[in-house]
Amino acid sequence: MATSSRLHQDLRDHVGADALLAAASPDWLVDNRQLYHGAAAAVVAPRSTAEVARLLAFCHGRKIAVVPQGGNTGYCGGATPDQSGNQILLLLHRLDRIRAVDAANYTITAEAGCVLATVQEAAAAAERFFPLSLGSEGSCQIGGNLATNAGGLNVLRYGMTRDLVLGLEVVLADGRVLDALQALRKDNTGYDVKSLFIGAEGSLGIITAATLKLFPRPRSYATAFIAVASPADAVRLLARLRAGSGDQVASFELIPRVAVELTQRHIEGVAAPLDDPSPWYVLAELTSTRNADPLAESLADLLATAAAENEITNAVIAQNEGQRAAFWRLRESIPAAQRRAGASLKHDVSVPIAALPDFVATASGWVAQHVPAGYLVAYGHIGDGNLHFNINANDAGSALLTCEPEIKRAIHDFVQQFGGSFSAEHGIGQLKVAELERYADPVELEVMRSLKQALDPHGILNPGKVLRA
Ligand code: FAD
Ligand code: 2HG
Ligand code: ZN
């Protein structure tokens, strides 16, 4: 590694003087969950794909590692450099242009550093809808969403980020630019190369822009907060609502009583939508692109039948946009409430939806018996079979954190037993590399390593993330 001042001068010469930042903000060197603290040899914030390409060509030639960072909201330490001080931190936030909105083609082309909320707003301004929606949408970037294949609150209807992609522009490890920014819904010309970079967490290439699918804008909503006795009843209710509503369910979130209590305690202005306590709740939303679609009436009918069959114990339908926003605020502030409540362990798991009730019963039984230092806060996207099977500490946290390895092992083993995934939507980063090695099919792992070797022979792209360096 060249001396720091020499490296900085080389970066100015090769990439552009303006791209090199004077110093790293401490916020960029720690991950969102504060699990990892790193250091950087230099921080580069390019304004164009060409600058990213020049940076990578330079780093490829010198075998210098590059760690891309978007909004830094990721949960697995993927955007944090290691502690060597030899890696270059590549910030994408200056690549922030919406290049095109094509309302007739229902597509938007956005640069990687666009904040997700900005992409949503640009679509809305053209009377279109970009459905990716996460609690972090005010700060995460579309490039980070693509790199993690983010999920979120509308997957049930619209799919994961991968399902929303038509085209990508990617800078490869050696600086070549892959221009696959097609806006086509049909394109069977060989391998789907762009797909490799989605969910690769910056380990195979740097995403600089994407062409994304848009949809008709929803104009009618019906949003209910529903009390259910068990996850099994929630799963039955999901099937009922999907079939009975003409498949208009866009979101279906499971919330345990303890999460409602945590948000009331730690987040200002959150109120419990239903007075009588229930062990579980569902936040369900139906949407339609028709104006004044009587969704609330059909939802009320479906819920009345569900109540008559003892599938639900109570429900309230939002009567106006304020109430709808309040239901969503409660749901979206569960991670913040959990954080304010103290230390926690997170398990972002999925199983086939039908297996979810048995998984919850088995894994919570184990937690109740073996984890006296913590309490379960299991919530999430039950409509996608994805639960955040999190455990909060009863006290300062050290007793819980000490048991982290055996708790993780037990929960992830249950997940495997039920045919699920130990990382449903948050990726691998540096946090779950060993889990991937343990649970992935060995042949799949070999293919991943071959792809890494082929696309990044010097191992400069986000080393140690997804795969061991
Ligand atoms: P970063 O954290 O900056 O980076 C994530 C990874 O992508 C890193 O490996 C990084 O190196 C890589 N990367 C970033 N940009 C690029 C690029 N342009 N090219 C190549 N690689 C790149 N996630 C969900 O899936 N669903 C949720 O519902 C959800 N809710 C959340 C709620 C809260 C309150 C918070 C804090 C997080 C939540 N997340 C959720 C996690 C997080 O927001 C997502 O993983 C998000 O997609 C990360 O985007 P980012 O821009 O912050 O990426
Ligand atoms: C959510 O669904 C996010 O709110 C965050 O994916 C989950 O904090 C978590 O565990
Ligand atoms: Zn989630």
Side-chain angles (χ1 to χ4, degrees), residues 132-143:
L132 183 65
S133 175
L134 331 176
S136 55
E137 64 198 21
S139 49
C140 64
Q141 297 172 8
I142 193 69

Side-chain angles (χ1 to χ4, degrees), residues 106-460:
Y106 279 81
T107 52
I108 185 167
T109 301
E111 292 186 345
C114 290
V115 169
L116 172 55
T118 308
V119 178
Q120 296 166 343
E121 283 157 19
E127 291 298 320
R128 296 291 178 258
F129 180 57
F130 183 60
L132 183 65
S133 175
L134 331 176
S136 55
E137 64 198 21
S139 49
C140 64
Q141 297 172 8
I142 193 69
N145 303 145
L146 289 156
T148 56
N149 187 27
L153 304 165
N154 288 327
V155 172
L156 179 58
R157 168 82 67 85
Y158 298 98
M160 302 281 281
T161 304
R162 180 187 301 283
D163 300 303
L164 304 173
V165 180
L166 294 177
L168 276 193
E169 180 185 86
V170 181
V171 179
L172 302 184
D174 59 8
R176 281 176 298 160
V177 178
L178 172 79
D179 180 355
L181 264 185
Q182 293 89 337
L184 303 171
R185 280 165 175 83
K186 288 192 162 181
D187 177 20
N188 279 345
T189 49
Y191 303 140
D192 186 5
V193 173
K194 68 175 182 312
S195 241
L196 291 174
F197 303 95
I198 304 168
E201 301 176 64
S203 65
L204 297 181
I206 305 298
I207 297 168
T208 47
T211 298
L212 304 159
K213 290 181 197 168
L214 299 181
F215 295 83
R217 204 176 166 186
R219 291 172 193 284
S220 303
Y221 298 86
T223 312
F225 204 84
I226 305 157
V228 291
S230 65
D233 283 340
V235 168
R236 277 191 281 274
L237 179 66
L238 170 65
R240 177 190 298 280
L241 294 190
R242 286 194 68 180
S245 69
D247 216 2
Q248 284 179 310
V249 184
S251 308
F252 196 87
E253 298 284 313
L254 187 70
I255 302 174
R257 174 84 199 155
V258 64
V260 174
E261 288 164 0
L262 284 178
T263 55
Q264 283 181 281
R265 197 170 313 141
H266 296 288
I267 310 291
E268 211 174 298
V270 169
L274 292 169
D275 289 336
D276 43 335
S278 164
W280 299 95
Y281 301 93
V282 164
L283 173 51
E285 184 160 277
L286 275 54
T287 66
S288 155
T289 57
R290 284 191 287 259
N291 259 324
D293 202 332
L295 288 180
E297 282 85 332
S298 37
L299 181 56
D301 288 348
L302 288 163
L303 292 176
T305 319
E309 295 185 15
N310 295 323
E311 204 168 84
I312 69 172
T313 53
N314 202 353
V316 54
I317 297 178
Q319 296 302 306
N320 51 48
E321 186 49 38
Q323 272 179 13
R324 172 175 174 251
F327 293 177
W328 276 114
R329 179 147 185 271
L330 187 159
R331 163 61 185 93
E332 292 189 42
S333 48
I334 298 172
Q338 258 208 297
R339 182 185 289 224
R340 285 178 205 171
S344 67
L345 302 178
K346 288 182 183 287
H347 310 94
D348 166 34
V349 305
S350 64
V351 295
I353 297 178
L356 220 133
D358 283 348
F359 166 77
V360 173
T362 308
S364 0
W366 187 90
V367 170
Q369 217 181 335
H370 294 92
V371 190
Y375 57 95
L376 192 62
V377 188
Y379 64 96
H381 323 288
I382 187 178
D384 316 323
N386 172 199
L387 276 189
H388 300 301
F389 203 80
N390 298 342
I391 302 175
N392 259 75
N394 287 328
D395 53 19
S398 53
L400 178 68
L401 298 181
T402 320
C403 307
E404 194 261 353
E406 65 223 55
I407 297 172
K408 178 172 69 185
R409 186 59 52 241
I411 291 174
H412 289 171
D413 281 355
F414 288 133
V415 166
Q416 190 186 41
Q417 199 180 304
F418 282 91
S421 164
F422 68 87
S423 185
E425 61 172 8
H426 296 157
I428 303 295
Q430 49 186 309
L431 182 66
K432 299 183 189 169
V433 174
E435 296 302 278
L436 185 68
E437 287 172 353
R438 183 183 180 96
Y439 292 107
D441 171 68
V443 177
E444 194 174 18
L445 212 49
E446 271 174 37
V447 173
M448 287 189 205
R449 289 189 179 122
S450 308
L451 289 169
K452 174 74 178 169
Q453 178 62 29
L455 287 169
D456 182 19
H458 297 335
I460 63 160

